[in-house]
Amino acid sequence: MRQPGSPVIGLEIHVQVATESKLFCACSTDYIGAVPNTHVCPVCLGQPGSLPVINGRVVEYAVRTALALGARVGKSTRFHRKNYFYPDLPKAYQISQYDRPLAEGGALPIGEGENRKEIPITRLHLEEDAGKLVHSAADGRLGHSEYSLVDYNRGGVPLMEIVSEPEISTPAEAREYVATLRQLVRYLGVSDGDMEKGSLRVDANVSLTGADGKLGTKVEIKNMNSLRALERALDYEIARQADLIRKGESVRQETRHWDDGNGLTCGTRGKEEAHDYRYFPEPDLPALVLPDGFVEKQRDIMPEMPWILKERFVTDWGLSLQDAAVLTELPGLSRYVEDCVREGADPQRAANWIRTEVLRVLNEKRIGIEDFGVPAENLSPLLVKIDRGELSTTLAKTVFDRMVAEGLTALEALEKIGAPSGRLTGERLRNVIERVLEKESSAVEEIKSGKDPKGKKRGFLCGQIMREARGQADPEEVAKTLSRFLGC
Ligand code: ADP
Ligand code: ZN
Ligand code: MG
């Protein structure tokens, strides 16, 4: 039983499916920045006599997502009309799924170790997006506007709606659920998952458990376009509801909007009208029957799940959970680390270097790893050189910056910098050691007369030699050769 007063959260997430064309017509889905009402046709404008045709690629992507969540995919599903009037919906109905969604059940795992938790999924269904109203007011708010314009470019863009059971217990868990789902759709390649662009939109339902341990009255919050906004909105709403209950008032079931600037949720209307969408089966579309082998084929091309990959980085490579989490957040980045390791780099060395140096460059340049100029097969040899003691990390950073700036391989950059490529050995190493010993003659004397019992002075000399060699020597060889010089 739930603790009285404990928060209960259930999320409804709309994910824009990354296909080139819309759900039921061939119009482009590339609406951001496009001239209004140029990506439209009789089908997505809902003109009489036009007929929708399902986009097969959308079904493939949705099935792939359902499988990743462990949901049951319905072999035969159908579409319904959800009727309501709003100017951004030219047909006055949205084609959606109702009693037979594409998939039901399954779960999304969040958290680590003891905090591992599976959030059960209710359903995943397909529907079309609506157009967009552009209000004339400077603040973009309807209430302050003289007129509004409508752009139907987004109308008919494919969405997957993924609904969770009310089993999320804290705003932090909600945030993690969304972050994990976003990571998943990116790994599956079915959406860009960008919340700011609106490719991933979260409606959050939240209530406080009643004194009887039963579910309380829920409030739905909309309009959060970042993970941080989601967490803040839920924190605020939980406190607001707790306050009402403390004062002996009741929570009203309603939809509230998150106002990010002021950090609060506000109710929209005095009283929430009961929606009656008059759902009925879409007569212009046949039942969606998946052909034999369709689901299996999607299963065959599924990549490794990001949470499994993360675990593997920890158990196989000994990385910390934090390292593993950062490196598996985006599919491109985890592929890059894996490539580095495949090319011979030590996993921990690669993880450190990528987290600090590579991510620094990506942040500075505001680019993704896909556009990074140093491929894994170029970075890997540099990391190997550090591990072999052929390069100090300081020199390696200089080399790396040159590689980034000029698109060079590690060897090319080393040559340009003028550092001897390859290890200092034999005659060249002996010359360096002689030079250092001449300069540090007092340390040499002390060591020779037994005044360095802890080997501190000897360590100091080794360090000076490595420096003089610009890190291009094997520390073990340096130590051995030095002993020969010192005669002890
Ligand atoms: P509605 O009929 O209002 O759409 P649903 O039962 O379909 O409500 O649930 C919609 C979403 O709200 C789901 O994600 C579900 O988990 C969540 N939800 C349902 N009841 C509650 C509740 N009492 N508290 C928090 N979330 C809830
Ligand atoms: Zn169209
Ligand atoms: Mg519902």
Side-chain angles (χ1 to χ4, degrees):
M1 197 185 89
R2 295 187 171 94
Q3 274 301 107
S6 62
V8 173
I9 300 164
L11 300 178
E12 298 167 283
I13 301 186
H14 286 94
V15 179
Q16 188 184 317
V17 183
T19 50
E20 283 176 29
S21 57
K22 293 185 180 180
L23 184 52
F24 298 115
C25 61
C27 291
S28 164
T29 53
D30 196 7
Y31 59 82
I32 291 178
V35 176
N37 299 308
T38 53
H39 297 335
V40 292
C41 73
V43 174
C44 54
L45 286 177
Q47 288 172 5
S50 66
L51 286 172
V53 177
I54 184 90
N55 180 340
R57 184 57 56 79
V58 174
V59 181
E60 288 175 15
Y61 284 4
V63 165
R64 219 180 283 171
T65 311
L67 291 175
L69 294 168
R72 294 180 304 278
V73 177
K75 279 284 283 181
S76 170
T77 63
R78 63 176 169 188
F79 288 93
H80 268 69
R81 288 187 181 180
K82 180 179 179 178
N83 298 280
Y84 65 98
F85 176 77
Y86 204 65
D88 64 4
L89 193 70
K91 298 197 290 280
Y93 62 83
Q94 175 194 31
I95 304 180
S96 181
Q97 293 192 297
Y98 183 55
D99 59 350
R100 271 155 60 191
L102 188 70
E104 289 177 276
L108 186 71
I110 62 168
E112 310 295 342
E114 282 174 15
N115 297 324
R116 178 90 163 181
K117 185 170 168 184
E118 305 241 319
I119 306 296
I121 304 290
T122 313
R123 56 190 271 147
L124 179 154
H125 72 251
L126 288 172
E127 62 186 31
E128 54 180 344
D129 208 343
K132 234 178 179 166
L133 290 182
V134 184
H135 305 302
S136 67
D139 64 0
R141 301 264 287 266
L142 173 61
H144 304 164
S145 299
E146 271 180 65
Y147 61 88
S148 301
L149 300 170
V150 63
D151 175 9
Y152 289 122
N153 281 348
R154 201 180 66 180
V157 163
L159 301 175
M160 294 187 273
E161 177 169 347
I162 301 167
V163 182
S164 87
E165 290 285 301
E167 304 239 357
I168 299 168
S169 315
T170 63
E173 263 183 34
R175 177 189 186 129
E176 192 168 354
Y177 173 91
V178 176
T180 309
L181 188 69
R182 179 177 67 178
Q183 180 194 33
L184 176 64
V185 295
R186 287 173 169 170
Y187 268 78
L188 295 173
V190 299
S191 174
D192 67 26
D194 192 326
M195 288 181 83
E196 272 168 42
K197 273 179 12 197
S199 314
L200 194 150
R201 286 169 247 162
V202 182
D203 296 341
N205 300 271
V206 57
S207 64
L208 296 183
T209 307
D212 55 2
K214 294 204 176 118
L215 284 178
T217 306
K218 74 174 157 79
V219 163
E220 184 177 2
I221 324 171
K222 288 182 182 283
N223 200 34
M224 295 86 60
N225 55 11
S226 70
L227 291 177
R228 200 176 116 75
L230 169 71
E231 205 174 353
R232 285 177 70 209
L234 283 169
D235 275 329
Y236 175 89
E237 186 55 27
I238 288 167
R240 189 189 69 86
Q241 292 182 18
D243 206 41
L244 284 176
I245 291 167
R246 207 167 20 241
K247 287 192 282 196
E249 293 172 32
S250 58
V251 174
R252 194 168 53 197
Q253 176 159 350
E254 61 179 344
T255 301
R256 297 178 69 87
H257 282 255
W258 171 244
D259 177 344
D260 204 56
N262 293 312
L264 45 85
T265 63
C266 39
T268 36
R269 277 170 220 93
K271 210 170 171 207
E272 183 74 353
E273 74 273 42
H275 282 297
D276 183 355
Y277 293 120
R278 305 266 163 167
Y279 278 100
F280 67 85
E282 167 61 67
D284 288 340
L285 283 165
L288 176 62
V289 180
L290 302 181
D292 283 341
F294 186 95
V295 174
E296 291 70 22
K297 187 168 164 221
Q298 292 308 311
R299 203 187 293 281
D300 286 346
I301 55 176
M302 297 264 278
E304 188 173 22
M305 291 302 105
W307 48 86
I308 297 193
L309 187 64
K310 180 164 69 178
E311 243 172 53
R312 203 155 59 70
F313 281 9
V314 173
T315 49
D316 291 5
W317 290 351
L319 298 190
S320 70
L321 251 177
Q322 236 228 329
D323 279 348
V326 172
L327 296 174
T328 53
E329 163 129 25
L330 291 168
L333 201 60
S334 60
R335 236 178 283 126
Y336 192 86
V337 190
E338 289 200 289
D339 288 347
C340 281
V341 172
R342 196 171 309 115
E343 296 282 329
D346 168 66
Q348 186 65 59
R349 170 77 64 194
N352 294 346
W353 195 274
I354 291 167
R355 277 199 70 175
T356 52
E357 302 307 313
V358 175
L359 288 183
R360 172 178 58 78
V361 173
L362 298 185
N363 287 337
E364 278 168 11
K365 296 190 164 188
R366 293 170 177 277
I367 54 169
I369 190 81
E370 292 73 18
D371 302 313
F372 184 49
V374 179
E377 63 261 32
N378 284 1
L379 179 60
S380 200
L382 184 73
L383 303 181
V384 170
K385 277 183 180 298
I386 302 173
D387 279 331
R388 286 207 197 123
E390 295 174 21
L391 269 184
S392 68
T393 28
T394 325
L395 179 58
K397 279 180 192 169
T398 314
V399 174
F400 176 72
D401 286 340
R402 267 314 248 280
M403 293 167 68
V404 172
E406 297 171 38
L408 305 173
T409 65
L411 281 184
E412 286 165 350
L414 271 168
E415 241 163 56
K416 281 219 167 177
I417 286 168
S421 61
R423 233 184 275 204
L424 271 190
T425 53
E427 181 68 31
R428 279 159 70 208
L429 179 60
R430 283 198 295 278
N431 287 341
V432 169
I433 295 181
E434 259 171 25
R435 242 183 300 153
V436 170
L437 295 190
E438 239 166 65
K439 242 197 309 195
E440 307 292 347
S441 55
S442 64
V444 174
E445 283 316 306
E446 285 180 49
I447 298 172
K448 280 188 172 168
S449 53
K451 285 188 193 151
D452 185 35
K454 291 192 183 144
K456 273 193 176 169
K457 293 260 150 56
R458 187 185 293 264
F460 165 74
L461 288 180
C462 283
Q464 292 303 101
I465 296 163
M466 286 301 285
R467 236 179 84 176
E468 191 70 20
R470 301 227 214 163
Q472 299 259 68
D474 173 21
E476 257 177 54
E477 197 183 343
V478 167
K480 256 195 253 157
T481 319
L482 177 64
S483 294
R484 242 178 280 133
F485 266 93
L486 295 172
C488 57

